[in-house]
Amino acid sequence: MVRQDKATRHQRRGGRVTQVDEGHDATEAQQAAPGAGAPAAGDLLAQRYELVTHISDDAAGRQVWRGVDVILRRPVAVVLRYPGGQRAAEMLQAAVAASRVVHPNLVGVYDAVDEADRAFVVREWVEGASLRETVAVDGTLDPGRATTIAHAVAAAVAAVHATGMVHGNIHPGTVLIAQDGRVVLADARVDRATDAETDVRCVAGVLYFGLTGHWPERELPPAPGAPDAVRDTAGAVVAPRQMRAGVPAHLDSLAVELLDPRRTPPASDLVAGELARLDTVGPDPVEESGALRFAADTGELLRIRAVRPAALKIGVGVLALILLATVGTIAGLRLFGNRPGPTAGDTQVAPSNAPSGGAVDPRPIPLSASQVRIVDGDRGDRGELRNAEKTVDGDPDSAWETHVYRSPLTTVKSGIGILVDLGEARRVSSVRVQFSDGGATASLLAGDADPGSSAAGDQEILRSYQALTTEPVEVGGAWAFGDFDPRATYRRLLVWFTALPSDGRGGYSLGVQEITIEGP
């Protein structure tokens, strides 16, 4: 069957069929197939399996056919080596081993036949598409769907490992998604040097690919037809949340940590169990139970208990966060780093360590165009340094905008930000930022000096300013920070971005509409 172009395949998704998509077109495979005596449509193998349609040649040089079991009258997939030889023997050995493992997320193996001049494996035909083709046609998956697929693959791998075998061929082309939603893993291999740890890392690769459309080829065996992961300046894989908005932190951590070659991954059954938990408990599975972490050397699972932010602040004697839906002249704390921004009418109670003499109503600090400028981590095109004044003009319809980057920000520069000069050292109650879109990653820094708008000056700011946020946080359309020491004073604040949201068209950009800073 000659494959259609992307648009046609999308239109005919209901009738699309793929068996182990290795990224080679059937037309190419037919041209490369041997001439005389080569298998052809209509051939009857072992007096039982009729070859119907040649689908492709896979990366290992095997022909993949759609066939029919003429005795049971059911469709089958036929993986055939012509001519035979040692590679055919390895293929048959892998098929015999795979046939011993029965699992709903593994493709069933029905038969394995050696006819000397050719050998073939007969297995379940899955009506659907590979993960590689699904992402190519429909784009990256939502986090829930990516989790479900990774969970299915992990469960299949755990079943294989329980028998003492390894799969050895996990990539987006061997993950098949049936039309009824079932996810199955196909095409186990023994003709490839691999181990159980590699299988587990490949499960993380499947999750990463579903979220980003990229395959970390330096960390994992090759995946035909899948582009390499985007990397930062040090060559490390860029986290999914730096490539697109909306990826939960627990999925981001799971994928990145399993792919980290410095860490020993846990056993496949533990990873399958964790993915099962994430696949069933809803959109925020770490709210109560904590995020999964892996010990760097042993692969032991470490569960870090999640503590609600307000409780954490009280527990360490820091400011408590209390939101009230009343209007009044009450001092206090705006939201801290990773909570949603305040809405009109939000007020807070005064912190317990506020200066004596009663609460003072926080008010917006007046800011003018001369008090804001852009700090560029690597000073590229200076066009991005213009229009900073739009962030303090009081007009939510105007905005300072970054360039549209064609890869995540940290692959191009260390970051970019907006420096606000308060005019004098003064106490601050809150910083609120309104964005054009959610999905950026932001930090807040503070310092006294401004060496001037130059490459050297910007680098000096980044070296000398102190971070007020404990770590960069993913922000929504509005972000508020209020974890200020009420006894401290601040002269300059830097809102610093290290990741930009995807624009849905292959680019990354951000607009900042308004910055509001309040103080007593």
Side-chain angles (χ1 to χ4, degrees):
M1 178 181 69
V2 178
R3 298 190 182 186
Q4 297 83 16
D5 59 33
K6 177 176 178 178
T8 304
R9 292 203 313 269
H10 184 78
Q11 294 166 1
R12 296 187 58 189
R13 183 180 181 89
R16 189 175 58 201
V17 290
T18 303
Q19 299 295 303
V20 187
D21 188 349
E22 298 280 1
H24 298 281
D25 289 340
T27 50
E28 297 172 352
Q30 289 168 331
Q31 293 170 359
D43 283 0
L44 190 63
L45 307 183
Q47 300 300 306
R48 179 169 183 173
Y49 307 109
E50 180 182 354
L51 299 181
V52 177
T53 305
H54 182 209
I55 302 300
S56 69
D57 274 14
D58 70 13
R62 301 168 297 182
Q63 297 185 21
V64 181
W65 288 77
R66 177 171 183 160
V68 174
D69 182 336
V70 298
I71 295 178
L72 297 180
R73 305 307 304 171
R74 65 179 176 182
V76 294
V78 180
V79 183
L80 186 147
R81 271 198 179 278
Y82 171 80
Q86 180 59 35
R87 299 298 298 278
E90 294 167 346
M91 179 186 74
L92 295 174
Q93 180 184 352
V96 170
S99 69
R100 301 190 184 113
V101 186
V102 179
H103 190 274
N105 298 119
L106 285 170
V107 167
V109 177
Y110 301 148
D111 207 348
V113 179
D114 188 353
E115 294 184 338
D117 60 336
R118 63 185 176 187
F120 57 90
V121 173
V122 181
R123 66 177 181 221
E124 175 187 5
W125 176 265
V126 179
E127 197 81 28
S130 71
L131 175 60
R132 189 192 74 89
E133 191 172 24
T134 297
V135 170
V137 172
D138 298 333
T140 54
L141 309 178
D142 67 78
R145 184 61 174 149
T147 302
T148 296
I149 291 173
H151 171 207
V153 174
V157 170
V160 172
H161 289 184
T163 68
M165 299 185 297
V166 296
H167 187 279
N169 194 28
I170 303 168
H171 58 74
T174 58
V175 177
L176 306 182
I177 305 170
Q179 290 181 359
D180 62 2
R182 177 184 169 221
V183 178
V184 292
L185 183 59
D187 200 31
R189 296 269 292 276
V190 296
D191 56 345
R192 174 180 292 177
T194 189
D195 53 29
E197 286 189 7
T198 301
D199 278 356
V200 172
R201 294 194 195 281
C202 286
V203 171
V206 167
L207 176 62
Y208 189 92
F209 181 84
L211 294 171
T212 68
H214 292 262
W215 181 261
E217 62 183 26
R218 299 182 198 172
E219 291 78 9
L220 303 174
D228 184 25
V230 177
R231 299 177 183 276
D232 61 22
T233 54
V237 170
V238 168
R241 290 211 297 173
Q242 292 181 276
M243 298 184 64
R244 58 176 288 194
V247 177
H250 58 273
L251 285 188
D252 195 76
S253 298
L254 182 65
V256 170
E257 292 188 12
L258 283 175
L259 289 170
D260 189 343
R262 298 168 299 179
R263 296 177 178 269
T264 300
S268 56
D269 58 340
L270 298 179
V271 174
E274 176 65 9
L275 285 166
R277 186 181 72 89
L278 299 178
D279 192 23
T280 57
V281 296
D284 191 13
V286 298
E287 177 69 19
E288 297 295 341
S289 60
L292 181 71
R293 293 292 184 268
F294 301 114
D297 298 325
T298 66
E300 178 186 0
L301 278 85
L302 305 176
R303 181 73 63 198
I304 302 176
R305 172 65 62 177
V307 181
R308 294 184 183 276
L312 177 62
K313 295 292 183 182
I314 293 171
V316 296
V318 190
L319 302 178
L321 175 66
I322 304 175
L323 294 179
L324 301 175
T326 59
V327 177
T329 58
I330 305 175
L333 187 63
R334 297 293 183 186
L335 297 176
F336 70 93
N338 59 351
R339 284 299 197 193
T343 58
D346 279 349
T347 57
Q348 290 77 33
V349 299
S352 59
N353 59 348
S356 59
V360 179
D361 186 18
R363 300 177 182 274
I365 298 173
L367 298 171
S368 65
S370 63
Q371 291 175 265
V372 292
R373 74 174 182 87
I374 304 303
V375 171
D376 190 332
D378 294 280
R379 306 294 292 191
D381 183 348
R382 294 185 64 84
E384 205 166 20
L385 307 183
R386 296 192 291 267
N387 299 321
E389 69 278 2
K390 292 184 177 180
T391 64
V392 294
D393 62 2
D395 181 3
D397 294 327
S398 68
W400 166 76
E401 296 180 340
T402 69
H403 290 319
V404 177
Y405 292 87
R406 293 305 172 189
S407 59
L409 182 64
T410 51
T411 67
V412 180
K413 59 179 64 178
S414 59
I416 194 166
I418 303 170
L419 181 67
V420 182
D421 183 354
L422 301 180
E424 61 180 347
R426 58 183 303 166
R427 298 204 307 270
V428 175
S429 299
S430 70
V431 173
R432 289 180 290 139
V433 187
Q434 184 67 41
F435 300 103
S436 60
D437 196 8
T441 299
S443 302
L444 187 66
L445 296 84
D448 294 324
D450 181 3
S453 180
S454 66
D458 288 356
Q459 289 297 327
E460 178 59 28
I461 286 174
L462 295 177
R463 283 192 297 268
S464 63
Y465 276 37
Q466 178 184 4
L468 300 179
T469 47
T470 56
E471 61 181 12
V473 294
E474 184 174 358
V475 296
W479 177 54
F481 179 88
D483 201 1
F484 289 95
D485 183 346
R487 295 160 297 192
T489 59
Y490 304 86
R491 171 61 192 267
R492 292 180 174 88
L493 299 172
L494 174 64
V495 183
W496 183 247
F497 306 105
T498 51
L500 308 178
S502 169
D503 62 9
R505 299 183 297 275
Y508 303 85
S509 62
L510 179 69
V512 179
Q513 296 165 315
E514 206 68 28
I515 297 176
T516 303
I517 301 177
E518 292 186 336

